[in-house]
Amino acid sequence: MTQNTFIKLKGISKSFAGVRALQNIDMEIQQGEVRCLAGENGGGKSTLIKIISGFYQPDSGTIEIDGNEYTSLTPQQAIDLGIQVIYQDFSVFPNLTVAENIALMAERQEGKRIVNWKNVRERAQEALDTIGVDLDLDMLVGDLPVAGKQLVAICRSLLLKVRLLIMDEPTTALTRTEVESLFRVVRDLKAKGISVVFVSHKLEEVYEIAEQLTILRNGKKVIEGPIKEFDREKFVFHMTGRAIENLPFEPTEIGTEPLLEAKNIGIKDLFRDISFALYPGEILGITGLLGSGCNELAKALFSMEKITEGEILLEGKPHHPANVGEAIRSGIAYVPEDRLTEGLFMPQAISVNMVSAVMKNYLTRFGFIDQKRVEEGSENWIRDLKVVTPSAELPVQALSGGNQQKVVLAKWLEISPKVLILNCPTVGIDVGAKADIYQLTRTLAAQGIGVIFISDNLPEVLENCNRLIVMKRGRMVGEMDAKNADEEKIEALLSADREEEVIR
Ligand SMILES: Nc1ncnc2c1ncn2[C@@H]1O[C@H](COP(=O)(O)OP(=O)(O)OP(=O)(O)O)[C@@H](O)[C@H]1O
Ligand SMILES: [Mg+2]
């Protein structure tokens, strides 16, 4: 058996300034094995991955590869040994084009001194074709939506020499079709004897693709084994240490006067003719696939994009703020999908990020930041949202992905909004924290806030909204009470779209 082991970790531990991120972890990965690394936000998954890829040095323990024992790896060593990682934040270069991002590194790895641009384009196209996606080679990666960036990162690693491909939440922003292509690629890699380790908070996907499972909690390995030995309940229980149940949302009381109304609004080429009313106490779900216009609609409601048709009313009055600042002052809050670029100042303290939308409430009479009140304010959010951190003064970038998302939420809740727009708020969030966020959304609705909940995860919108709007290709194709909806009904509305495309 041993000759089939690609990597063997023994007793790996790692601490950061008092946080024991990993404690005495043993893990073996066989050649051609697909292993899922699961666990709550802050459990230590990314840290373990960064140790395998040489980004961090462990405090103790050893790493054995090809019979050689290492106390730590450098990033170059890891690459030379065939370890490739797609990180949670993708590490793509926003100022380079799609083609450059995908293929430049491979050209360099092969020691080519002079870049052959024709080659770069051809190879990039090839990689895109392998996973069956259609991206413009010349587009700047910075201009792509999150899913696009994720696909670029995946394509890039496919071109490099790889024996172990590690993916830290590779599917967070992908649609079902893209996920299927990615999984096809994973099965191909496996057939070639390449090992794959991936992190995912989407249990359905774990069951679909993983053979082996390792669960980390609070830096410790709690259990591991073949995935078929874990039913859903056992899986969730080991991840969170508790049983989780999410009951459908029943609004306590819905106001009679609309809070926010959209009247035939549209933005040229993005979406059109959208009308709805949001009442106090409601959670209104909006769902659709990539390209449906949901994302742009969310931004338009927050005045990040200007509508070119129709009208928006806030509490019955025409609402056309000149910019985001005015939108915030009028009581609209927006939790963006892409927390890395739109939501947070990564190097800044957690506390500062939490209060940054209303910094003026935290100034002293003389205009200085009142550090004590900032701390108090942020401590409350850390407690209420269960943010896992030893201190509010750590930079946000030291938090795990899911905990960063909670900081974004805190930042917007801090302004006590009338309308809260959540754009895919649970992407990358573990099952336990997801349940917390759902609960929190309900509590806010019960206080009379109107919530718009955008998500392409159908079970999630069905359980957490009282009303639903379905969008495709920039149009509203359905509006219904969540009570009268189910996944099949929505899928039917969404997939009609694809058939039309085929006919054309
Ligand atoms: N550079 C760092 N400085 C300080 N603390 C860190 C650093 N990196 C990670 N940590 C801490 O180590 C712990 C493990 O974090 P890690 O990112 O590995 O979790 P994770 O399992 O990947 O979580 P998620 O599912 O949210 O991505 C967390 O408590 C985190 O705050
Ligand atoms: Mg992580």
Side-chain angles (χ1 to χ4, degrees), residues 200-218:
S200 175
H201 291 295
K202 299 184 186 169
L203 302 198
E204 310 81 49
E205 292 180 5
V206 177
Y207 281 109
E208 199 177 327
I209 193 82
E211 301 160 298
Q212 296 287 330
L213 177 65
T214 301
I215 300 182
L216 300 181
R217 189 162 81 234
N218 295 327

Side-chain angles (χ1 to χ4, degrees), residues 302 325 328-329 332-334 343 345 351-362 408 410-416:
F302 186 55
I328 295 173
R329 280 191 291 281
I332 300 190
Y334 174 68
F345 303 116
S351 59
V352 172
N353 270 280
M354 283 180 166
V355 304
S356 60
V358 284
M359 202 43 128
K360 68 172 187 338
N361 295 351
Y362 287 89
V408 183
K411 165 173 160 182
W412 294 108
L413 293 177
E414 175 73 23
I415 68 173
S416 326

Side-chain angles (χ1 to χ4, degrees), residues 307-354:
I307 52 170
T308 51
E309 303 153 26
E311 193 179 25
I312 300 176
L313 304 181
L314 182 65
E315 297 180 307
K317 292 187 211 71
H319 173 70
H320 23 72
N323 52 42
V324 167
E326 271 183 34
I328 295 173
R329 280 191 291 281
S330 64
I332 300 190
Y334 174 68
V335 173
E337 176 200 23
D338 187 354
R339 58 181 173 256
L340 294 173
T341 58
E342 291 172 15
L344 295 170
F345 303 116
M346 285 296 176
Q348 285 273 11
I350 297 165
S351 59
V352 172
N353 270 280
M354 283 180 166

Side-chain angles (χ1 to χ4, degrees), residues 152-210:
V152 166
I154 292 166
C155 288
R156 179 175 60 196
S157 64
L158 293 179
L159 286 184
L160 300 169
K161 184 189 81 175
V162 55
R163 292 171 68 198
L164 168 63
L165 178 66
I166 308 180
M167 298 186 275
D168 202 348
E169 300 191 55
T171 64
T172 43
L174 303 187
T175 63
R176 195 53 222 161
T177 330
E178 290 157 349
V179 171
E180 274 161 23
S181 323
L182 176 65
F183 284 178
R184 237 186 5 254
V185 175
V186 168
R187 291 191 191 101
D188 276 359
L189 294 175
K190 178 185 160 51
K192 291 183 195 143
I194 295 167
S195 320
V196 177
V197 168
F198 77 102
V199 174
S200 175
H201 291 295
K202 299 184 186 169
L203 302 198
E204 310 81 49
E205 292 180 5
V206 177
Y207 281 109
E208 199 177 327
I209 193 82

Side-chain angles (χ1 to χ4, degrees), residues 69-80:
E69 203 170 81
Y70 305 84
T71 50
S72 70
L73 294 173
T74 63
Q76 192 56 51
Q77 261 175 329
I79 291 171
D80 293 342

Side-chain angles (χ1 to χ4, degrees), residues 315-501:
E315 297 180 307
K317 292 187 211 71
H319 173 70
H320 23 72
N323 52 42
V324 167
E326 271 183 34
I328 295 173
R329 280 191 291 281
S330 64
I332 300 190
Y334 174 68
V335 173
E337 176 200 23
D338 187 354
R339 58 181 173 256
L340 294 173
T341 58
E342 291 172 15
L344 295 170
F345 303 116
M346 285 296 176
Q348 285 273 11
I350 297 165
S351 59
V352 172
N353 270 280
M354 283 180 166
V355 304
S356 60
V358 284
M359 202 43 128
K360 68 172 187 338
N361 295 351
Y362 287 89
L363 299 181
T364 62
R365 263 191 309 143
F366 307 107
F368 294 111
I369 294 172
D370 188 340
Q371 193 54 37
K372 187 143 171 293
R373 281 189 28 237
V374 169
E375 269 163 40
E376 280 166 13
S378 54
E379 289 301 339
N380 289 340
W381 286 119
I382 288 176
R383 192 192 54 230
D384 291 354
L385 302 183
K386 305 196 189 108
V387 179
V388 184
T389 176
S391 157
E393 295 321 304
L394 284 183
V396 169
Q397 64 202 9
L399 289 181
S400 72
N403 284 300
Q404 288 176 3
Q405 182 71 338
K406 293 184 187 175
V407 176
V408 183
L409 263 175
K411 165 173 160 182
W412 294 108
L413 293 177
E414 175 73 23
I415 68 173
S416 326
K418 292 174 190 154
V419 175
L420 175 65
I421 305 168
L422 302 171
N423 196 354
C424 303
T426 62
V427 164
I429 299 227
D430 71 55
V431 271
K434 265 184 197 154
D436 294 342
I437 288 179
Y438 300 151
Q439 201 45 55
L440 186 80
T441 313
R442 292 166 188 215
T443 311
L444 295 169
Q447 292 165 7
I449 293 179
V451 182
I452 294 181
F453 194 114
I454 298 164
S455 166
D456 60 358
N457 181 330
L458 299 183
E460 175 174 272
V461 281
L462 283 166
E463 274 173 22
N464 292 291
C465 304
N466 55 307
R467 213 148 46 87
L468 284 181
I469 288 176
V470 182
M471 286 184 67
K472 76 178 185 205
R473 286 215 237 120
R475 301 283 199 112
M476 246 168 94
V477 292
E479 181 175 5
M480 61 201 96
D481 263 357
K483 275 201 208 79
N484 307 327
D486 55 34
E487 281 188 55
E488 272 172 30
K489 203 164 165 177
I490 304 176
E491 294 276 9
L493 286 171
L494 294 172
S495 61
D497 189 85
R498 285 192 205 134
E499 276 153 32
E500 269 173 38
E501 257 168 16

Side-chain angles (χ1 to χ4, degrees), residues 40-47 49-50 88 168-169 199 201 399-402 428:
E40 285 190 298
N41 296 131
K45 304 177 296 294
S46 296
T47 307
I49 287 173
K50 286 177 184 165
Q88 226 166 350
D168 202 348
E169 300 191 55
V199 174
H201 291 295
L399 289 181
S400 72

